[in-house]
């Protein structure tokens, strides 16, 4: 089970990595538009977890987190459609991970908030959910980093 | 609240499928256009033969009433007219 302080720390690391990738994308000569659209959405989504942690009650916390995952996909899809940019396979995979996170949040909401009163009998489920969410986030960062490593900076054209 | 979120989730999946279909259509059109320009990377002798074959196929698609099936042509191929593509 992840405490609030640990969640803050992990989110800080993710926001930092997304910022680095975004700055790299701005400086790069050749970029993929599809990842550059998804990156700010992910950054805002990750950052908004601070707000959710501070201002939501225990009853609504998982619902807001699930909505956060959905909203990232919705905004990204809307911008892709509006700018007529084709999704890459990696972006579809990231959408899949976000939707999986959404389902995990909804399951834990149903089980932890509605069905059970105490955490003791479902500790294994809470731990599994934490691990899976962390795994999904790490995979998203890893996939984005791998995609970004294909981009070239401006000064690389002279080499 | 919970049911609304599930409804949004289902609508989102449908939207994803529709967007993917549109993208595949767009990618296919672009591939045909790209294939036409890729012909010009070949030597001139090969290029003329390829352009002739391409134009014959596109003409057959644009005017299917004049299409004559031959053992070497496949009717199931989806060829976009050059004039439409460009």
């Amino acid at each position: 089970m992840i405490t609030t302080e640990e969640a803050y720390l992990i989110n800080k690391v993710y926001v930092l990595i997304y910022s680095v990738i975004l700055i790299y994308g701005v400086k790069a000569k050749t970029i993929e538009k599809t990842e550059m659209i998804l990156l700010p959405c992910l950054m805002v989504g990750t950052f908004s977890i601070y707000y959710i942690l501070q201002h939501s009650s225990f009853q609504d916390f998982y619902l807001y987190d699930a909505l956060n995952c959905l909203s990232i996909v919705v905004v990204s899809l809307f911008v892709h459609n509006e700018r007529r940019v084709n999704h890459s396979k990696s972006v579809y995979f990231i959408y899949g991970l976000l939707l999986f996170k959404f389902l995990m949040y909804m399951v834990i909401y149903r089980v932890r908030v509605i069905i059970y009163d105490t955490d003791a009998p479902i500790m294994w489920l809470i731990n599994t959910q934490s691990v899976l969410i962390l795994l999904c986030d790490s995979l998203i960062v890893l996939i984005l980093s791998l995609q970004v490593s294909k981009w070239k900076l401006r000064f690389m054209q002279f080499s | 609240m919970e049911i609304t979120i599930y409804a949004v989730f289902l609508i989102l999946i449908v939207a994803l499928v529709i967007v993917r279909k549109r993208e595949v259509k767009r990618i296919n059109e672009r591939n045909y256009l790209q294939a036409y320009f890729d012909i010009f990377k070949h030597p001139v002798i090969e290029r003329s033969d390829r352009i002739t074959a391409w134009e014959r196929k596109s003409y057959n698609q644009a005017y299917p009433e004049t299409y004559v099936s031959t053992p070497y042509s496949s009717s199931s191929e989806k060829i976009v007219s050059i004039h439409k593509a460009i």
Side-chain angles (χ1 to χ4, degrees), chain A residues 14 68 79 89 100 116 124:
Chain A
Y14 285 142
N68 186 28
V79 177
K89 282 178 186 171
F100 180 69
Y116 283 89
W124 63 272

Side-chain angles (χ1 to χ4, degrees), chain B residues 4-72:
Chain B
T4 315
I5 293 174
Y6 278 121
V8 171
F9 174 67
L10 289 176
I11 292 168
L12 182 64
I13 288 177
V14 173
L16 267 173
V17 171
I18 293 169
V19 167
R20 181 62 189 159
K21 276 186 182 176
R22 286 176 65 180
E23 279 180 2
V24 167
K25 195 179 168 188
R26 205 184 302 156
I27 289 167
N28 283 340
E29 285 174 2
R30 194 180 60 189
N31 286 345
Y32 279 115
L33 193 61
Q34 190 64 43
Y36 180 71
F37 290 114
D38 284 346
I39 291 171
F40 290 91
K41 292 175 188 170
H42 293 279
V44 177
I45 300 168
E46 288 180 27
R47 193 190 299 173
S48 58
D49 292 341
R50 283 166 188 259
I51 289 176
T52 311
W54 179 276
E55 285 179 344
R56 194 183 298 126
K57 281 180 182 176
S58 61
Y59 183 86
N60 287 337
Q61 202 217 7
Y63 303 102
E65 64 274 10
T66 61
Y67 181 76
V68 180
S69 178
T70 62
Y72 303 104

Side-chain angles (χ1 to χ4, degrees), chain A residues 10 15 22 25 35 48 63 82 111 128 132 135 144 149 152:
Chain A
I10 291 165
V15 169
L22 199 68
E35 274 106 20
S48 63
L63 275 184
E82 187 68 23
V111 175
T128 312
L132 282 175
L135 195 69
L144 275 176
S149 64
K152 288 178 182 174

Side-chain angles (χ1 to χ4, degrees), chain A residues 86-87 92 102 106 110, chain B residues 2 5 9 20 23 26:
Chain A
N86 292 333
H87 291 82
Y92 274 120
F102 162 80
M106 292 309 280
R110 169 57 61 177
Chain B
E2 200 182 350
I5 293 174
F9 174 67
R20 181 62 189 159
E23 279 180 2
R26 205 184 302 156

Side-chain angles (χ1 to χ4, degrees), chain A residues 5-21:
Chain A
E5 288 75 23
E6 286 168 349
Y8 274 129
L9 184 67
I10 291 165
N11 264 328
K12 271 180 197 168
V13 173
Y14 285 142
V15 169
L16 194 70
I17 293 171
Y18 289 144
S19 312
V20 169
I21 294 174

